[in-house]
């Protein structure tokens, strides 16, 4: 089976999950208020607790909902990455007549909360995934052309630059290769995002068979924070998955900026 065949099979689960109106209603509820318990979701739908659990299970298997323990509670979060994958790999081929409707979908997916969680499965090894996250050249191919540099030790500083300018900076709070990377995150590419201060990004890598689960948690965000801080994660993770599984670049703003930067003279970087 080819890498693209595996991707298509994974997307089949997403299409099946989205085909049911009740499951779409659950996603709508999580869009309105992300990070809800099973009991809270049950109150919003005219069905039994068991019925809600069955639908959440299907959404979870499709990767559209992820869960996180907080004390005794199990919270459910909308994971927009699979929908972004659908857009990047299929819908984007026919975007011209669809742009108006997709604009509404994009707005809905980039809602503002104190914590955002993104989860994706990639057919790769933990070591290869860690390398893709920490290697300057490789990361620039899917991360908007940004060149992220650090010595990747706990307590060390990292910087992300592009076009000769500092774009983001922070500290490596926890470095546990190839399993976990926790960083403070301060965007400085504009005065509007600079005013948001410092948040935190956590990369958790978990091997699953011949693949890896990558969960990115962006938290410590101000309520109503500028969505530039977290709105790009869907494109970044889509590009990362495609690069590792196929060696190809997605035609997204992330890859396009890398291609533009790669054509610049070395002295200009």
């Amino acid at each position: 089976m080819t890498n693209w065949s595996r991707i298509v099979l994974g997307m089949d689960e997403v299409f099946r999950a989205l085909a049911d109106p009740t499951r779409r209603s659950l996603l709508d509820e999580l869009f309105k208020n992300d990070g809800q318990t099973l009991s809270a979701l049950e109150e919003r739908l005219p069905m039994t607790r068991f019925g809600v659990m069955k639908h959440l299970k299907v959404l979870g298997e499709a990767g559209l909902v992820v869960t996180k323990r907080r004390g005794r509670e199990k919270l459910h979060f909308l994971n927009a990455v699979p929908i972004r994958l659908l857009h990047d790999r299929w819908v984007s081929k026919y975007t011209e007549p669809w742009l108006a409707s997709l604009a509404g979908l994009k707005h809905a997916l980039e809602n503002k909360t104190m914590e955002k969680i993104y989860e994706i499965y990639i057919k790769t090894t933990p070591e290869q995934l860690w390398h893709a996250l920490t290697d300057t050249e490789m990361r620039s191919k899917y991360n908007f052309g940004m060149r992220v540099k650090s010595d990747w030790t706990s307590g060390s500083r990292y910087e992300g630059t592009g076009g000769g300018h500092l774009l983001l900076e922070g500290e490596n709070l926890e470095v546990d290769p190839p399993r976990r990377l926790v960083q403070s995150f301060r965007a400085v590419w504009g005065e509007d995002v600079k005013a948001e201060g410092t948040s935190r990004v956590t990369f958790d890598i978990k091997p699953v068979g011949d693949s890896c689960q990558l969960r990115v948690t962006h938290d410590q965000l101000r309520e109503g924070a500028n969505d530039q801080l977290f709105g790009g994660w869907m494109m970044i993770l889509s590009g990362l998955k495609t690069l590792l599984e196929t060696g190809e670049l997605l035609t997204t703003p992330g890859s396009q900026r890398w291609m533009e930067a790669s054509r610049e003279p070395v002295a200009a970087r």
Side-chain angles (χ1 to χ4, degrees), residues 44-102:
R44 291 167 170 76
L45 294 173
M47 64 171 53
T48 65
R49 183 181 184 88
F50 181 68
V52 176
M53 289 174 62
K54 285 179 62 178
H55 284 298
L56 286 173
K57 183 175 184 293
V58 174
L59 291 169
E61 290 173 346
L64 291 165
V65 169
V66 296
T67 60
K68 180 177 182 179
R69 288 282 181 184
R70 184 174 296 162
R72 295 184 177 181
E73 292 184 325
K74 183 178 181 181
L75 304 181
H76 298 79
F77 290 83
L78 170 66
N79 179 35
V81 174
I83 297 177
R84 182 75 214 192
L85 286 170
L86 288 178
H87 169 264
D88 289 341
R89 289 183 173 134
W90 283 281
V91 179
S92 61
K93 298 176 183 178
Y94 317 102
T95 51
E96 290 303 323
W98 290 46
L99 285 178
S101 60
L102 286 175

Side-chain angles (χ1 to χ4, degrees), residues 185-252:
F185 181 97
R186 180 169 179 262
V188 296
W189 58 75
E191 292 302 320
D192 49 351
V193 293
K194 190 183 297 185
E196 296 289 348
T198 302
S199 54
R200 181 177 64 182
V201 176
T202 301
F203 301 88
D204 284 306
I205 300 172
K206 178 182 178 182
V208 181
D210 61 356
S211 301
C212 287
Q213 176 200 78
L214 173 62
R215 175 176 288 197
V216 177
T217 304
H218 195 160
D219 60 3
Q220 297 183 1
L221 291 159
R222 178 184 65 83
E223 183 70 29
N226 191 316
D227 61 8
Q228 290 184 55
L229 296 180
F230 52 84
W233 282 118
M234 293 176 288
M235 282 185 286
I236 291 170
L237 296 179
S238 296
L240 171 61
K241 177 180 174 68
T242 299
L243 182 62
L244 283 173
E245 292 186 344
T246 71
E248 299 178 9
L249 300 180
L250 282 178
T251 306
T252 65

Side-chain angles (χ1 to χ4, degrees), residues 21 31 41 60 128 130 164 171 181 189 205 208 213 234 242 259:
F31 155 64
L41 291 169
Q128 289 171 331
W130 182 269
E171 180 184 344
L181 175 64
W189 58 75
I205 300 172
V208 181
Q213 176 200 78
M234 293 176 288
T242 299
M259 287 185 282

Side-chain angles (χ1 to χ4, degrees), residues 98-234:
W98 290 46
L99 285 178
S101 60
L102 286 175
L105 173 62
K106 180 177 184 292
H107 176 75
L109 293 177
E110 295 179 350
N111 58 313
K112 308 172 183 67
T113 64
M114 291 294 291
E115 180 178 33
K116 299 294 295 181
I117 298 178
Y118 306 92
E119 187 175 280
I120 194 168
Y121 287 82
I122 305 174
K123 188 173 178 59
T124 188
T125 66
E127 291 77 15
Q128 289 171 331
L129 181 50
W130 182 269
H131 177 74
L133 292 173
T134 57
D135 181 76
T136 300
E137 296 299 328
M138 192 167 185
R139 184 161 175 172
S140 68
K141 294 180 180 180
Y142 63 86
N143 201 163
F144 301 101
M146 188 182 303
R147 302 175 62 80
V148 180
K149 294 184 178 181
S150 175
D151 66 10
W152 305 110
T153 58
S154 295
S156 65
R157 175 181 170 81
Y158 76 92
E159 292 184 349
T161 60
H165 303 286
L166 181 66
L167 301 177
L168 62 85
E169 61 185 358
E171 180 184 344
N172 296 310
L173 305 174
E174 183 180 344
V175 182
D176 182 18
R179 290 176 289 273
R180 182 175 170 88
L181 175 64
V182 185
Q183 301 176 303
S184 62
F185 181 97
R186 180 169 179 262
V188 296
W189 58 75
E191 292 302 320
D192 49 351
V193 293
K194 190 183 297 185
E196 296 289 348
T198 302
S199 54
R200 181 177 64 182
V201 176
T202 301
F203 301 88
D204 284 306
I205 300 172
K206 178 182 178 182
V208 181
D210 61 356
S211 301
C212 287
Q213 176 200 78
L214 173 62
R215 175 176 288 197
V216 177
T217 304
H218 195 160
D219 60 3
Q220 297 183 1
L221 291 159
R222 178 184 65 83
E223 183 70 29
N226 191 316
D227 61 8
Q228 290 184 55
L229 296 180
F230 52 84
W233 282 118
M234 293 176 288

